Amino acid sequence: MQHDQYKYISRCDGLELDVLEIQPLSQPKGIVQFLHGMAENKERYIETMEFFARNGYITIIHDHRGHGKSIRDLADQGYFYDDTGKFILYDAHDITRMIKAKYPGLAIYLFGHSMGALIGQNYLKNYDNEVQKLILSGMPGNNPLCSAAIGLVTILEKIKGSYHRSKLIQNLSVGTYDKKFKGENKNCWLSANPENVNLYNADINCGFNFTLNGFKNLFLLMKNAYSDTDWVKTNLNLPILYLAGENDPVIMTKEDWRRAQLFLNKIGYTYVKGKMYHHMRHEILHEARKDVVMQDILSFIEK
């Protein structure tokens, strides 16, 4: 298989987005576009991408703005160059447009994990006719305090500036997740696989604290994803698959995770399915039984 890395210039503000594409050796069946999560990078998806490439799919992922190599300066990790929560969505859609121009006629399957799942649901809200299927992994639950969090971040920005990294906001957002798994390593909430957690903790491009600007974008993505207004709704039969580990604190509770799926049913989407994996946490693509997860995604795509 062939790995290609290149830049895509964001139409929003000219930011250089770093893109990775992996080509199969055979004639491609379709394309899987990946949207990675918060405070990580595209390289963490290479193993999964290679799995799909071996099964005949072109796979494409970009570093979100403020992540990986899609930054103007190392100090900009967790800064989105936007305060609307929209640019990161427009970037994802522009990558789809680029894919369609490059590979006309091939089906596109969109996979989003964690923050990428929030982007994916915002994508669904605006562009549900652009992809053939949607997979949302580790979808954050609909936190009722989201609007209050946006207000708090806005106040702190006026006092500290948008580049400030607030320990308070960090602790309120993801800082409590480890408490569910006492006695384990830092960021153990990510995975029951200690090797994965150790690699994450050792990676300077992972686990960084968001700026206030980054958190504002994150909370706006969540608020917009669960708002029942302004949905375009042109493809209500789009197949949608929710995936999660049963011990994932990001989904909040199993009931919240099911309510997230029922929310899309209420919006009008008719094909929304969910699968939960026993003894897995947030990063189901990095757990010991990740092969089962990848095979399930492949089966959903090819069904």
Side-chain angles (χ1 to χ4, degrees):
M1 63 190 75
Q2 180 176 327
H3 291 223
D4 294 320
Q5 198 159 345
Y6 50 88
K7 299 291 186 181
Y8 179 86
I9 307 301
S10 171
R11 295 193 303 157
C12 296
D13 57 358
L15 179 67
E16 289 189 343
L17 302 174
D18 204 70
V19 184
L20 174 65
E21 178 176 330
I22 300 179
Q23 292 270 358
L25 296 176
S26 58
Q27 185 71 20
K29 302 176 185 177
I31 299 161
V32 185
Q33 180 184 351
F34 289 85
L35 304 173
H36 71 71
M38 171 186 181
E40 60 166 349
N41 56 79
K42 64 185 183 304
E43 281 73 22
R44 301 188 74 232
Y45 290 77
I46 289 176
E47 184 178 9
T48 302
M49 294 169 71
E50 289 180 340
F51 167 83
F52 284 98
R54 285 194 301 273
N55 283 277
Y57 292 87
I58 299 169
T59 55
I60 295 177
I61 190 171
H62 69 285
D63 283 325
H64 295 304
R65 52 182 54 239
H67 292 74
K69 297 175 183 174
S70 296
I71 53 177
R72 295 186 173 123
D73 187 272
L74 188 59
D76 293 348
Q77 281 187 329
Y79 184 84
F80 285 30
Y81 312 101
D82 169 45
D83 60 5
T84 68
K86 296 291 187 182
F87 283 14
I88 197 167
L89 167 62
Y90 297 155
D91 290 342
H93 181 234
D94 280 354
I95 295 295
T96 305
R97 287 162 52 98
M98 176 201 74
I99 292 170
K100 288 191 170 187
K102 191 173 181 180
Y103 303 107
L106 284 180
I108 300 175
Y109 308 99
L110 186 65
F111 174 95
H113 170 70
S114 194
M115 183 184 75
L118 286 176
I119 299 168
Q121 190 148 308
N122 277 272
Y123 190 109
L124 175 70
K125 185 173 183 175
N126 292 273
Y127 314 113
D128 64 7
N129 63 329
E130 294 277 25
V131 296
Q132 277 58 57
K133 293 183 182 180
L134 174 65
I135 304 100
L136 301 175
S137 162
M139 178 69 178
N142 185 10
N143 194 319
L145 298 177
C146 185
S147 293
I150 293 170
L152 177 57
V153 167
T154 302
I155 291 170
L156 289 174
E157 275 189 310
K158 292 178 180 177
I159 300 170
K160 300 285 190 176
S162 60
Y163 274 91
H164 179 69
R165 301 178 193 273
S166 168
K167 292 183 179 179
L168 172 64
I169 301 299
Q170 182 75 14
N171 288 333
L172 289 175
S173 59
V174 300
T176 61
Y177 292 160
D178 274 349
K179 293 181 180 179
K180 186 177 178 180
F181 311 99
K182 292 182 179 179
E184 296 189 35
N185 199 6
K186 177 185 175 183
N187 292 316
C188 59
W189 61 273
L190 290 170
S191 178
N193 177 6
E195 181 182 357
N196 174 47
V197 175
N198 290 335
L199 288 171
Y200 180 91
N201 288 337
D203 190 339
I204 62 169
N205 289 314
C206 291
F208 49 86
N209 290 359
F210 266 20
T211 63
L212 289 173
N213 167 268
F215 275 119
K216 178 188 279 187
N217 275 267
L218 178 68
F219 298 149
L220 285 169
L221 283 169
M222 178 177 291
K223 182 177 180 179
N224 290 333
Y226 286 109
S227 169
D228 59 6
T229 60
D230 300 323
W231 286 75
V232 176
K233 294 191 288 188
T234 59
N235 185 14
L236 292 175
N237 293 320
L238 178 73
I240 302 166
L241 178 63
Y242 273 72
L243 300 174
E246 67 173 350
N247 297 320
D248 182 358
V250 176
I251 65 173
M252 295 180 12
T253 67
K254 294 179 182 179
E255 290 72 25
D256 289 316
W257 183 70
R258 294 188 186 99
R259 276 194 286 268
Q261 297 164 59
L262 290 172
F263 170 77
L264 289 187
N265 289 144
K266 179 183 175 183
I267 292 296
Y269 289 94
T270 57
Y271 189 101
V272 183
K273 304 291 183 182
K275 181 164 185 178
M276 185 168 277
Y277 297 92
H278 297 304
H279 311 302
M280 293 194 190
R281 300 180 189 176
H282 186 53
E283 294 192 336
I284 57 177
L285 289 175
H286 294 287
E287 295 285 33
R289 292 170 50 241
K290 59 195 172 189
D291 291 349
V292 174
V293 180
M294 289 189 282
Q295 187 60 53
D296 285 345
I297 298 170
L298 179 64
S299 296
F300 173 71
I301 286 174
E302 296 193 331
K303 185 165 61 175

